[in-house]
Amino acid sequence: MERLIIISGASRGLGFALAKQLIKPDTLLVSIARSNNSELAALCHQANATYHYINADLARPQGTELATQQLSDLCAQHQNLAHYYLINNAGTVAPMAQAHQLDDPKAIAQALQLNIGSLMSLSACFLAHTPPEADRRILNISSGAGRGAVPGWGVYGATKAAVDYFTQTLALEQPNVRSAALAPGVIDTDMQASIRQTDSDYFPNRERFISLHQNQQLASATYTAEQIARYLTNDAFGQKTIDDIRHYF
């Protein structure tokens, strides 16, 4: 075994598509999610890769703590590998609402915890429990929404802006760890379906996303994952801390 790859939110959407792209015989693939994807486990078995599932709700501090405890134990058992990759992919676009409508503190707190809090905790665990002499890489899935304001995405955009800032800080503090915050573009996933179903009073840009879907202008999760997997494993990964995968295809 040569590689340990950890992916949060790997049970569906972009995370699942990324996991499928990164399965190789020399890989221990760790999925952190609320549900186990049996197809992912079967694909690892077929490819003679090792699969490990950590059942955790990263939108809750207790779930994140459970995940980091299990992850630290797992890393302690695999200290002699050449490559360690962490992909912080788990996230939510909810709650979608304009500033005067953000009246659900619990939903806001869960989004903050999932989109940025759990990312920080998993990164800290990864840094503390993987060998510094190895090839270590952290890929944080960000968004263009964190780089330009979008009405109705005050919470989502704020968390993604925080992802970018944290990644820049990480790059300064850990120069020997390759890291990047990557915007993946607009992808045809369940998140996009949720966006299209949101009342336009809460998300004024709804019609734009409906149009993108109707005109088949959404990138497929599989195609985007192919590009991101190539990006992550490239020798140049980490040279640009704030990045966008659409710059490469």
Side-chain angles (χ1 to χ4, degrees), residues 64-115:
T64 300
E65 184 178 12
L66 174 66
T68 56
Q69 289 172 350
Q70 294 188 37
L71 184 59
S72 63
D73 291 342
L74 185 67
C75 288
Q77 299 169 27
H78 299 279
Q79 287 290 299
N80 298 312
L81 307 184
H83 309 282
Y84 296 82
Y85 299 164
L86 170 63
I87 303 175
N88 284 306
N89 163 77
T92 181
V93 73
M96 283 185 283
Q98 297 187 65
H100 67 286
Q101 300 162 328
L102 289 171
D103 54 5
D104 186 344
K106 182 178 179 181
I108 295 170
Q110 288 178 335
L112 292 170
Q113 173 60 30
L114 178 59
N115 290 5

Side-chain angles (χ1 to χ4, degrees), residues 160-183:
K160 292 304 184 180
V163 169
D164 286 355
Y165 186 92
F166 174 75
T167 309
Q168 290 175 305
T169 305
L170 171 63
L172 291 174
E173 295 174 346
Q174 301 284 339
N176 294 325
V177 177
R178 301 188 187 198
S179 56
L182 183 73

Side-chain angles (χ1 to χ4, degrees), residues 4 13 15-16 37 39 47 53 60 68 73 76 79 102-103 110 113 132 134 139 172 176 205 217 223 238 243:
L4 171 61
F16 178 45
N37 189 312
E39 182 182 351
Y53 169 59
R60 293 162 43 87
T68 56
D73 291 342
Q79 287 290 299
L102 289 171
D103 54 5
Q110 288 178 335
Q113 173 60 30
L139 173 60
L172 291 174
N176 294 325
N205 284 16
Q217 292 177 295
Y223 179 72
D243 214 345

